[in-house]
Amino acid sequence: MVTLQKEMEYYENMCAERFSTHKATVTTENDRYLIIDWRRKDDSGDYYINFIIDKKRGAFIVTGDLGDSIAVWYNPVTPEKLRDYIFNDVGYYIGKIECASDLYVYDEDDIIADLKEYIDIDAEDAYLETHNEYGNSSELWGDIKDYICDSLYGRDQFIPSDDLREIIKDFDPNYWEWLPNCGKHISGRVFIWAIGFKMAMEQLGR
């Protein structure tokens, strides 16, 4: 399983390249708001991000080429503290997001790997003994994989199908507590928002 730290490192390397010609411009700053445009020097909209900070409400708003989001802390906070909150703990940051473009992505192989964490070999053997339609473990997991494919809608939605739920509930009647979160990962755009904001603030000497 890839850790948040490893994912952050990956996106930091990517952002170092993608944001190499970006320039941070403060378009508004007063006691209440700070608005920063983060875009390429040639004014291209590729990887353009606009950061809006409401210092009084503790709101961090992202718009632009890489999606949109609103995160709220509900108390006064400086842009510098927001930068540290967001960059140092993306998991904490995503918990503050009220609404956004897709925040999570799902991968078929990761869903299967997570399922196997919940379904031990003894439970699998017991299932195969009582379900003669499966000759072996490979056939069972082949069906589960097909049901997972039927449950994925693009990369950003995993809604377990009736068939998937029916087969998994035989392993664990409390499957509903954990099944929808199998294979769930924070979208790369969230890391890019955090890293881009930090880079823009640093360029501005803040």
Side-chain angles (χ1 to χ4, degrees):
M1 185 70 68
V2 178
T3 64
L4 285 180
Q5 182 179 352
K6 286 291 185 184
E7 288 191 272
M8 178 62 88
E9 290 171 2
Y10 168 81
Y11 285 106
E12 280 188 281
N13 290 331
M14 189 196 78
C15 288
E17 177 184 347
R18 298 294 176 89
F19 292 145
S20 62
T21 64
H22 270 54
K23 180 182 178 182
T25 303
V26 174
T27 61
T28 300
E29 181 163 27
N30 53 43
D31 289 343
R32 179 75 184 263
Y33 296 105
L34 171 63
I35 302 176
I36 300 171
D37 266 6
W38 179 237
R39 69 168 67 233
R40 284 172 29 173
K41 289 179 181 178
D42 63 7
D43 213 32
S44 166
D46 290 345
Y47 274 67
Y48 159 70
I49 309 177
N50 179 255
F51 301 109
I52 303 169
I53 298 94
D54 182 336
K55 305 173 191 177
K56 183 176 180 180
R57 194 159 184 259
F60 180 68
I61 302 164
V62 176
T63 63
D65 186 46
L66 297 168
D68 310 283
S69 66
I70 301 174
V72 187
W73 276 257
Y74 296 105
N75 56 265
V77 63
T78 66
E80 290 75 14
K81 284 186 178 179
L82 272 179
R83 174 202 60 208
D84 293 341
Y85 292 158
I86 292 165
F87 180 78
N88 292 335
D89 191 342
V90 168
Y92 170 69
Y93 166 40
I94 205 169
K96 294 293 185 180
I97 294 176
E98 301 282 331
C99 59
S101 307
D102 307 318
L103 294 179
Y104 297 99
V105 293
Y106 298 85
D107 179 83
E108 176 186 305
D109 290 337
D110 289 338
I111 293 171
I112 291 173
D114 285 352
L115 281 175
K116 289 184 175 180
E117 290 288 324
Y118 286 98
I119 300 171
D120 62 36
I121 191 66
D122 291 336
E124 186 178 314
D125 288 343
Y127 185 89
L128 290 171
E129 285 179 8
T130 57
H131 292 75
N132 297 327
E133 67 269 29
Y134 297 110
N136 54 48
S137 178
S138 295
E139 291 180 7
L140 169 63
W141 284 100
D143 264 6
I144 291 174
K145 184 174 183 178
D146 288 342
Y147 298 151
I148 289 170
C149 289
D150 293 339
S151 304
L152 284 169
Y153 299 86
R155 279 181 48 79
D156 55 16
Q157 277 193 308
F158 172 54
I159 303 173
S161 67
D162 290 343
D163 288 332
L164 182 59
R165 287 188 282 108
E166 280 298 314
I167 203 168
I168 298 302
K169 78 177 183 182
D170 285 340
F171 292 102
D172 181 359
N174 295 318
Y175 72 93
W176 52 270
E177 295 179 345
W178 52 264
L179 180 59
N181 291 318
C182 285
K184 185 177 183 180
H185 292 282
I186 296 173
S187 171
R189 73 174 74 235
V190 180
F191 292 95
I192 294 170
W193 294 335
I195 295 164
F197 182 53
K198 179 175 182 285
M199 292 177 71
M201 290 285 284
E202 287 177 345
Q203 194 180 97
L204 292 168
R206 306 181 68 145

